[in-house]
């Protein structure tokens, strides 16, 4: 039997990520199964290794994360959602503020052209932004680097901020017993089917939302109970951490130095804005600050969803805010880009 090169690449990536997770766990780093692999795979990629995760494994991970989010939604969570409308409005305002602050930094601070700066400044929706960049007169490489640095930096910094400032709920996390194997398999199959339907409807993060929808509906109705077992969830978190790091695979640090620094500066700025607004919203709504901080952080939806589960934050609150942010950005970015979003012929 011939083993495809893609499998060798994935196997190497998984091994490096697993070692990173193990070391992060020994060091007591928050969210070690995300942050450890992200750092290990990033450093390995910058050293010249070709790393990657096949799309079908990545998609399977997204389905499992969605199911994990849905298992924690209870009637009490639905009742608490009555205090969220103001938070939904403010998160949209926060997106606009973060977008233009980041744009100002990239355009005036680092000298990038307007189109590149605006696309690089987008607070989230990485895959959509990269696709949009390919159809505009922008520096695609720079946009990719700045956006990838944002995702990596947020993956590493948010757990540290939550841990360092003790931004946690005073209530102990609800620990669900693991699902039975048959229930788990049926839930995964149903979630995949729902995710494919959402994909046809062009929903953002469709496979993750498919898992969320099936898991919430089956748990609220009492049809199923229990959480995703650790033997499945922990490897999934490791692979998501690896996925973040693979964006820097086979890339020279010297080649991306300016974009790397720009991405770090932008991330620090938007995190400060997100932190201030999150503190205000937590005080107004009473939602624990760890959940608001993760919900307002402009990281990747799948990454922030996994982080919410690992940090015992309110996954329904976090997930709903990030989905709203992505939907808003899908409409907002073409509007703020104007002709640049539709015209590449002026190069």
């Amino acid at each position: 039997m011939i083993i495809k090169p893609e499998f060798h690449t994935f196997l190497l990536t998984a091994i490096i990520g697993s070692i990173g997770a193990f070391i992060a766990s020994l060091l007591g780093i928050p969210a070690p199964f995300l942050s450890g692999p992200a750092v290990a795979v990033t450093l390995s990629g910058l050293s010249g290794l070709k790393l990657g995760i096949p799309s079908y494994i990545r998609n399977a991970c997204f389905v499992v994360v969605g199911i994990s989010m849905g298992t924690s939604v209870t009637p009490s969570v639905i009742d608490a959602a009555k205090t969220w409308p103001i938070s939904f409005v403010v998160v949209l305002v926060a997106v606009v503020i973060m977008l233009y602050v980041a744009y100002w930094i990239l355009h005036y601070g680092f000298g990038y052209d307007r189109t590149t700066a605006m696309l690089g400044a987008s607070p989230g929706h990485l895959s959509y932004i990269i696709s949009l960049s390919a159809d505009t007169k922008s520096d695609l490489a720079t946009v990719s680097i700045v956006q990838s640095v944002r995702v990596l930096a947020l993956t590493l910094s948010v757990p540290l901020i939550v841990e360092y400032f003790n931004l946690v709920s005073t209530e102990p996390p609800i620990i669900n017993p693991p699902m039975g194997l048959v229930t788990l398999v049926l839930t995964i199959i149903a979630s995949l089917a729902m995710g494919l339907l959402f994909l046809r409807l062009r929903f953002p993060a469709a496979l993750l939302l498919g898992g969320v929808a099936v898991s919430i509906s089956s748990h609220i109705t009492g049809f199923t109970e229990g959480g995703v077992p650790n033997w499945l969830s922990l490897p999934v978190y490791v692979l998501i951490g690896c996925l973040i790091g693979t964006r820097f695979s086979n890339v020279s640090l010297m080649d991306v130095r300016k974009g790397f620094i720009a991405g770090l500066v932008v991330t620090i700025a938007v995190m400060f804005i997100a932190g201030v607004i999150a503190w205000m919203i937590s005080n107004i709504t009473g939602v624990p600050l760890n959940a608001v901080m993760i919900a307002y952080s402009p990281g990747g939806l799948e990454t922030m969803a996994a982080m919410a589960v690992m940090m015992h934050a309110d996954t329904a609150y976090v997930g709903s805010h990030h989905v709203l942010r992505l939907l808003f950005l899908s409409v907002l970015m073409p509007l703020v880009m104007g002709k640049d979003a539709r015209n590449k012929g002026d190069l």
Side-chain angles (χ1 to χ4, degrees):
M1 182 178 67
I2 300 176
I3 300 177
K4 295 182 179 180
E6 182 184 51
F7 179 78
H8 288 135
T9 300
F10 166 65
L11 186 60
L12 177 61
T13 304
I15 291 172
I16 292 173
S18 299
I19 294 172
F22 178 71
I23 294 174
S25 297
L26 290 179
L27 296 176
I29 296 174
F33 297 100
L34 278 175
S35 54
V39 172
V41 174
T42 295
L43 294 177
S44 300
L46 290 174
S47 71
L49 289 177
K50 183 180 180 180
L51 303 172
I53 295 179
S55 58
Y56 60 90
I57 294 179
R58 177 199 65 197
N59 293 338
C61 290
F62 292 165
V63 171
V64 173
V65 170
I67 294 172
S68 296
M69 291 178 67
T71 59
S72 63
V73 177
T74 62
S76 61
V77 171
I78 301 299
D79 186 61
K82 297 175 183 178
T83 64
W84 297 353
I86 186 173
S87 184
F88 287 147
V89 173
V90 173
V91 78
L92 301 183
V93 176
V95 165
V96 175
I97 294 173
M98 287 188 283
L99 171 65
Y100 279 98
V101 168
Y103 165 75
W104 189 91
I105 292 172
L106 293 174
H107 185 54
Y108 296 102
F110 287 89
Y112 291 117
D113 64 85
R114 180 189 180 278
T115 308
T116 300
M118 187 62 75
L119 289 166
S122 175
H125 222 337
L126 187 147
S127 57
Y128 173 70
I129 295 301
I130 299 303
S131 299
L132 196 58
S133 301
D135 293 328
T136 63
K137 50 182 181 181
S138 64
D139 185 339
L140 178 59
T142 294
V143 173
S144 301
I145 293 165
V146 172
Q147 288 287 344
S148 297
V149 168
R150 172 185 56 80
V151 173
L152 174 63
L154 286 168
T155 302
L156 301 179
S157 62
V158 172
L160 291 173
I161 293 171
V162 170
E163 186 81 10
Y164 182 79
F165 290 101
N166 196 28
L167 308 180
V168 295
S169 173
T170 55
E171 299 180 2
I174 298 174
I175 300 177
N176 291 324
M179 293 182 190
L181 183 58
V182 174
T183 301
L184 177 63
V185 171
L186 292 176
T187 302
I188 291 174
I189 293 173
S191 299
L192 181 59
M194 184 64 71
L196 293 175
L197 174 61
F198 287 165
L199 198 62
R200 289 181 62 87
L201 297 175
R202 304 180 68 85
F203 279 28
L207 293 171
L208 182 140
L209 292 181
V212 171
V214 170
S215 186
I216 288 178
S217 59
S218 62
H219 279 74
I220 287 292
T221 59
F223 187 74
T224 61
E225 59 182 21
V228 177
N230 287 336
W231 60 261
L232 177 60
S233 61
L234 294 184
V236 164
Y237 298 146
V238 170
L239 290 176
I240 290 178
C242 291
L243 181 63
I244 297 167
T246 56
R247 301 188 188 281
F248 300 96
S249 176
N250 206 27
V251 175
S252 168
L253 184 59
M254 292 298 296
D255 294 338
V256 303
R257 184 172 55 183
K258 181 181 178 182
F260 210 96
I261 295 173
L264 286 176
V265 173
V266 164
T267 303
I268 292 171
V270 297
M271 274 304 298
F272 177 77
I273 295 169
V276 171
I277 297 176
W279 177 80
M280 294 170 55
I281 290 299
S282 179
N283 281 283
I284 293 172
T285 63
V287 178
L289 189 50
N290 65 334
V292 188
M293 190 70 190
I294 298 173
Y296 275 68
S297 298
L301 171 57
E302 295 84 3
T303 306
M304 294 295 111
M307 189 178 297
V309 176
M310 295 188 68
M311 303 297 290
H312 307 298
D314 187 335
T315 56
Y317 179 88
V318 172
S320 59
H321 280 70
H322 280 290
V323 169
L324 179 61
R325 175 173 58 90
L326 295 188
L327 291 172
F328 183 55
L329 282 170
S330 298
V331 176
L332 177 65
M333 290 309 297
L335 292 178
V336 298
M337 293 294 299
K339 292 182 179 179
D340 292 326
R342 302 182 296 274
N343 186 6
K344 195 176 180 179
D346 296 336
L347 286 172

